[in-house]
Amino acid sequence: MAPSPDDGVPGPSNSFNGNTQVLPYSGLQGTISLATLIDFIVQKTYHELTVLAELLPRKMDLEKKKEIAEFASRTRQLFVRLLALVRWASSASKVEKCSGIMNFLDRQSMIFVETADALFRMARETLVNARLPNFHIPAAVEILTTGTYGKLPACIKDRIVPPEPITPSELKSTLKRLNQVIEHRLMSATIPDRMRQLNIENGRVTFTVDSEFQVSLTLMGDSPQIPWRLLEVSILVEDRENGRGKNLVNKGQTLYIHQMVQSRLYDNNEPLVELYTCLHAFCLSLQLDVLFYQVLHLCESRLGKLVRSAPNADYVRGRHLGIHYWLDMKDSSGKDIPHILMLQIDPKDSQMPLLITHKPPMTSQAFPLLDRVAKPSDLSIERLLMHTIQTRAKSRLLDLKKILEERLGKEIECAVHGTPPVLNVPLLSPCMVSEQLMITIDTYSGQAQAFIPQQEVPKNITSDFIQNLLTGDWGKVENALAELRFCVIQRRCEKTLQHLPVSLHYKLPLIFSLEHRRYKLGKHKILIKLHKHPNSVIVLDFKEVKEARVNYSVYMLSVKSASIDSTSVEASPSSTQMYLKVTGMAALDPFIMTHNTGADIVNEMGKRPADILMQNEKKKSKAPSYIMENLAHFVALCEERVPFVSLCSELSEKNMSHQGVMVEPPGFNFALRLLYLPDLHVVPKIVMKDLRERLLSATMRLAKGAKNWMLELVFKGRPVITQSSHEQGLRSAVLLSYEAADEASKVVESLITDWNHIIRMYRLAFDLGKFLESNPHSNEVKVKSFNYRRLIILYGPNMCCSATLTWRQATRSYMINFASSTKKLSNPHHIIRDCVEADFARNSDIAAFIRLLLESYDPLRSISKLHAIPHLSRVGSTVPFTLMVQSSNHFRLAFNATYCLDIRLLPGRLVSIKDGAHSCFDRSKAVEEFSPTQCLKSFLLKYADEQCTFYDRRSQSEDDNPPSPLIETDAVNSTIRGSPSQRSSFLQNPASPHSQGHYYGPSSVGNAFPLASPPSISHPAPSPAEGIVPSPAFMSQPSPGHFGQSPAVSFMGQDHFSPFSVPSPVAASPFSQSPGLPRPSPAARLGHSPAGAQPSPSDIRSRVLPLRLWAGANPTHLSHASFDALCTPIDPDGNGMNSPIERFLSLTHLRKHWHKVLQTEESLRIIPCNEPGVIGFQSQLLKGHLILDPLKYPTLRMKFQALRDYQDQFMLEELEILDEFFNSRLVTNPIRPSSLLAFGKLLLVPIKPLRDIIQIMKLEVRPGTLDPAQYRFSVSMCMTIPPGSQPIIPPGHPAIIVAKMKLLFFIMLKEIQPTREEGTPQTVLLPIVHDWSTNLTQVAEKRDLNVVPAQPLLTMAIQQLKRFAECGFSQSGLTGNDCSIFPAVRDLLMNLGIEMQPQMNQMSISHSMMMQGNLGNQQIMGNQNMMQNQVGIQNMYGQNQQQSGINQQPPNFM
């Protein structure tokens, strides 16, 4: 009953029908919270939905729909009311507030009234008659002393206090005695057989009948007349299919059964029998009900109309239940055959379980398989029905098995097995399970069905077979079995040939002629088309024999594409299909093709070859029975033999004789042996004759899988002795592979191409063998391997280098690969690989090739020792050297895109080197891309040997110090004197064409670096007044890349010419010495199209040198040992590994850059000097000389002297320190030209800052002056900006900048004794700014004040220099005329990182104002004017870069 609101006010809870609930009120009386109301509605809906889900499964379909509709309507009305209430509540907030206020005031007033009434009632009524009772002192004394009270009335104990329970021992003895009484009563009572399962325990006996019921009885005394008392009864019948684990009998029904059975136990002679009879009858009736409802559920859910059980006819409650199945079964006359499963109570013995009967009755074979009674423990009508159907189906299949075995004979052994049962009928002997005919009975309809697993058998064949089998028409049954056997055989053929490159067809558009045996082919046949040979078809003609066997005949057809004519056609194809005309037909004998000539056929007498093929099942083979091994072998042999036929015909057309197709001795492969291979006319006859004498055999075979042709060439030995252990035998085999998918003509052409390859390689090996036998230097060269397709030659020290020669048919030339056996040293000849291949392609002289390898190995190895030679790069890259190969003995070596060396390899182990900047056609002109190298001749003569002095006689008029060439074009002049990026661009895109050689770079040959100016019409004649006569060496200078035959005798033999030619002593004309290779036009060099306008001579002119004989233009001859010493890196002064030639060119380049620095700076003036290799200059304070000493390991020295006006202000030690700093820091590795710019800027500062900078240099170049006890850090002057510095100046730029009375320089401080736990010294890079107008020294910072320096040392250095500017200068004892740079740096070296004293931090400004002179006033205002002083520094970097030609944005300083 729903709770009712107070005072009769209707509330929302009136619409609920449920149990009484206490509603939590809030606010006003008679109201309920909205959340609680929604919760109640949801709970009510869920409860009704749960009850509906439990009750609906037991109701009929119509009742279910009514209940669901009522529930949906009722729930919808409820939630519509809730929705209206919620919408009203959203707009009733003010009413609710007012109601709450009124309710609160009413309750407060009620409380006040009730309190006043209670006080009034207490004062007038209660307190007037209130008296204290007399204290019961005796009872209190008794309770306090004894702890109890003994004068209470006895009735209290009798009525309230329960009696004491019996003891456990008494309880145990009583129950034991009661068990004995129960046992005695049972001994004298009649107990049914199914109630023999009992248990006596705790004074009760429990009887259990499995899956029916369980009862508990006891006796109330030991008298025989006392009846049994029923304590408990439980019904154990369950519906495990649809019951969902719930009890089938509710509590009311159980109580009724309990009362009824208890009444039957009174006044009954056999109470236990009566008990069993009542409960057993109820359980059997309940079981029939459960089974009937299961039948109804099956009909509704899954089985539908396949089974039937009528409620009145087939089911009678408490008696029997009948189920009809196989409803469509009919006999031969068409009458229905009812099949019924009947479950009933046994009329003869009611105490037995449910009895099962069948209609029609089961046969004697299936009767033992059935259950006569239903198992109460497994109460499932579906399992019982399926078991009955399977048993009846198995009975029918056993009858069919017996009939088939009687009619088909002993060869057919049928078997019935499986669930559901299946009758297997083998069609062939032997026969796999997947090939057997399987007959089964449909579970739902009872109809017989036949099929073959994994076989696509037409349904009409199987249906006719079953129909004829059931009707007994055995003639049609045998025809159907024959068709099934042919289907299985066809499937076997498909399985056998599925992995072969063939396709199976049952019909093809074949056109036969009358002379062919077309009409002898049977109905069942298979046509096999070979994919690799589309003009061949294999025919398998099948015929049935006795004893369940099938025989076939084999025919080979030769076909070709044709059109239809009057001849008979095999099939009726469409008009768009191409027909195949049979040109030949032959019967094949598989036995002869698949057996050798020596096969044992005694046991095969009297049998056809096809019968032998079908008997593979009698042999114990590893393959399954559906694989016809002999058929696969036979088809594979046909496929392998057909390609040889086309190959033989193609060889015959090429006049290449052969022996025909042969079976090799093991009998597993075919072979075609060639008897003649064609000659190559470009090879001498003596070579071909020797090759044919060595050729033992040439055999063609098909590789495994028929994918490749394999040609095996067997030779007798080799024409040259090799070092390979695999090539020491008397026989040498060469295997060549060709694609079998190609046409035979392509295969033969590839064979001839490979044979010509072998001939050409054999010619090289033949000539090499003759050369090694007759040459005394053969011990310097060895042959590693020769396999008739590749020749590998070993040479070099310890035979560490190899040259591999092979023929390349695409370019019709030899390909040469150079390699090295050691990882540390590569093969130097890979530099000139293209040139060597080109020379070898012209003459193919192996002797000249060997001489070239031996004579050029040492010079090329020496060149490869130079630092970072980019064999594939551009001139002007970041690496020092760029090698440009002109020919196999002529190279040009560019250094930093500035200088160039022309190197030639000469006979007699000599190397000639000259300056490549001079034009090869007119020595008074220089190549536009390079500058002449000064003192080159003097430097090279330091390495000249005595044997080279004859070649290097130099005229006294030759000058070894050429100036920079003159460029008359203003545009070119501005480009050269512009920024480095402009100069690099100009050098990489020159305007003057020259001879073009082999250039190793990423660009094409057309973009190669130009090497010389265009040839002039005639050499310029020197003026007679100058008295200069051209030397013979000048007149005999050859053209680059041009070599003629030398008249001198070769040092290695007189029968072959040397790879190095001596230059001709007389040149016919300038044009005769011009290179033969094509040259780009001047327009192309300038980036214009050749078709465009040509530049006039006034726009582009040659760079002209003074008309003199320059020593660098004449070649200097060096021996290989001297050239190797020139290129080998050494480290004599401990400043890094450098080769002498790289050291010389680097110093020359540095000297040239210093000359540019002197020209750039206005305050530096060049002083004329007559000494070669010396540059004199003068600043406002100092005078210096830069001296280049071209020794064996050249050096560049700087010597400073003070001017006459400043000799008293400079100490001699300071000038020595400046010289020592330049020689030790600027001329050592790595050499950076930008450091010279920084050094030049340093010479522009006034004398006082310069002397302080020199003192800092002293601490660096003479570290012994630093006392570790006083100095915590060492100092280094930075000439270039190191990476990782503050973003003030980009890395790599000059680290010294002078502009507007300010000096910016960088120093690196390094901790002398590490103080950190890691043990690594701390370092910090400090940008120092000094203003000599205010004598203020501080650390340069970025303007952004929010940027905090990352290094703590940098922050401490900034703070310390600020403190030094405030008060440290006066404490150091210096005067106002002293510079503050060195004292500030020394203070950093001594005190950086040390906590300053407290008094230093508390020093006041008044103490600073007492300093003497203007310096004190300037330092007092240092912090106030620090930002103002730094304003001018921000333009220092920009002005400095504009003066030095570097385009960078000026940094922001603070």
Side-chain angles (χ1 to χ4, degrees), residues 859-875:
L860 290 177
R861 186 186 63 179
S862 301
I863 293 175
S864 63
K865 294 180 182 180
L866 296 177
H867 285 173
I869 299 178
H871 304 296
L872 298 173
S873 67
R874 301 175 53 189
V875 175

Side-chain angles (χ1 to χ4, degrees), residues 348-407:
K348 297 180 181 181
D349 188 1
S350 61
Q351 296 184 0
M352 294 298 294
L354 292 176
L355 181 63
I356 302 175
T357 58
H358 302 275
K359 184 181 180 181
M362 291 287 185
T363 60
S364 59
Q365 296 179 354
F367 190 75
L369 303 176
L370 293 173
D371 295 331
R372 296 188 60 188
V373 296
K375 296 179 181 179
S377 60
D378 189 9
L379 203 62
S380 174
I381 192 64
E382 184 177 5
R383 281 194 288 269
L384 185 60
L385 184 61
M386 289 297 107
H387 180 65
T388 302
I389 292 175
Q390 291 178 9
T391 305
R392 192 175 289 277
K394 188 172 185 180
S395 176
R396 294 186 61 188
L397 293 177
L398 290 175
D399 296 340
L400 292 178
K401 173 179 177 294
K402 184 177 180 180
I403 296 173
L404 288 173
E405 288 180 348
E406 291 177 357
R407 300 291 298 181

Side-chain angles (χ1 to χ4, degrees), residues 726-998:
H726 302 286
E727 300 177 0
Q728 302 302 323
L730 299 178
R731 290 164 54 92
S732 301
V734 179
L735 295 178
L736 303 175
S737 177
Y738 309 99
E739 291 290 338
D742 297 338
E743 297 180 358
S745 58
K746 294 183 179 180
V747 174
V748 174
E749 291 177 0
S750 300
L751 188 151
I752 296 175
T753 301
D754 291 341
W755 173 246
N756 294 337
H757 182 179
I758 293 175
I759 294 175
R760 293 179 184 275
M761 295 307 302
Y762 186 84
R763 176 190 177 184
L764 297 182
F766 184 82
D767 295 343
L768 180 60
K770 297 295 184 181
F771 173 76
L772 295 179
E773 291 177 1
S774 60
N775 198 284
H777 298 278
S778 60
N779 58 348
E780 299 181 7
V781 178
K782 294 183 180 180
V783 180
K784 180 181 180 180
S785 174
F786 175 68
N787 59 0
Y788 286 88
R789 293 182 60 83
R790 183 178 60 183
L791 178 63
I792 302 177
I793 301 174
L794 299 178
Y795 63 96
N798 300 325
M799 302 299 167
C800 63
C801 296
S802 63
T804 303
L805 289 86
T806 185
W807 176 257
R808 183 167 46 192
Q809 182 63 25
T811 58
R812 300 189 61 81
S813 61
Y814 288 97
M815 182 175 62
I816 305 175
N817 291 326
F818 295 99
S820 176
S821 60
T822 59
K823 297 181 179 180
K824 297 182 179 179
L825 184 62
S826 61
N827 194 325
H829 282 101
H830 73 278
I831 304 174
I832 60 173
R833 172 188 168 185
D834 293 345
C835 295
V836 173
E837 285 185 353
D839 294 343
F840 196 76
R842 286 193 294 268
N843 49 37
S844 301
D845 190 350
I846 192 67
F849 174 72
I850 296 299
R851 292 189 181 92
L852 174 65
L853 296 182
L854 297 179
E855 295 182 5
S856 62
Y857 177 79
D858 291 337
L860 290 177
R861 186 186 63 179
S862 301
I863 293 175
S864 63
K865 294 180 182 180
L866 296 177
H867 285 173
I869 299 178
H871 304 296
L872 298 173
S873 67
R874 301 175 53 189
V875 175
S877 58
T878 57
V879 292
F881 289 100
T882 302
L883 183 67
M884 296 167 286
V885 180
Q886 307 298 308
S887 66
S888 57
N889 55 2
H890 182 201
F891 320 103
R892 295 177 73 86
L893 193 64
F895 179 78
N896 285 342
T898 304
Y899 304 110
C900 180
L901 299 179
D902 190 275
I903 303 174
R904 295 179 183 269
L905 308 182
L906 304 178
R909 299 182 62 82
L910 295 178
V911 177
S912 69
I913 306 175
K914 69 173 184 177
D915 192 349
H918 297 275
S919 174
C920 298
F921 313 104
D922 190 354
R923 298 187 184 180
S924 63
K925 297 181 180 179
V927 180
E928 293 185 3
E929 291 78 17
F930 302 109
S931 300
T933 307
Q934 298 181 358
C935 303
L936 177 61
K937 186 75 172 182
S938 302
F939 171 71
L940 294 178
L941 289 178
K942 303 292 184 181
Y943 290 86
D945 298 339
E946 295 180 358
Q947 59 178 347
C948 304
T949 55
F950 175 78
Y951 298 96
D952 297 329
R953 295 177 179 176
R954 189 178 66 180
S955 174
Q956 295 181 359
S957 61
E958 293 179 356
D959 191 356
D960 197 19
N961 191 22
S964 298
L966 302 178
I967 303 177
E968 300 179 6
T969 304
D970 297 337
V972 177
N973 188 21
S974 62
T975 303
I976 293 298
R977 297 183 61 86
S979 62
S981 60
Q982 296 175 351
R983 292 196 299 270
S984 176
S985 174
F986 175 77
L987 292 178
Q988 293 178 8
N989 298 278
S992 174
H994 60 84
S995 64
Q996 182 177 2
H998 294 279

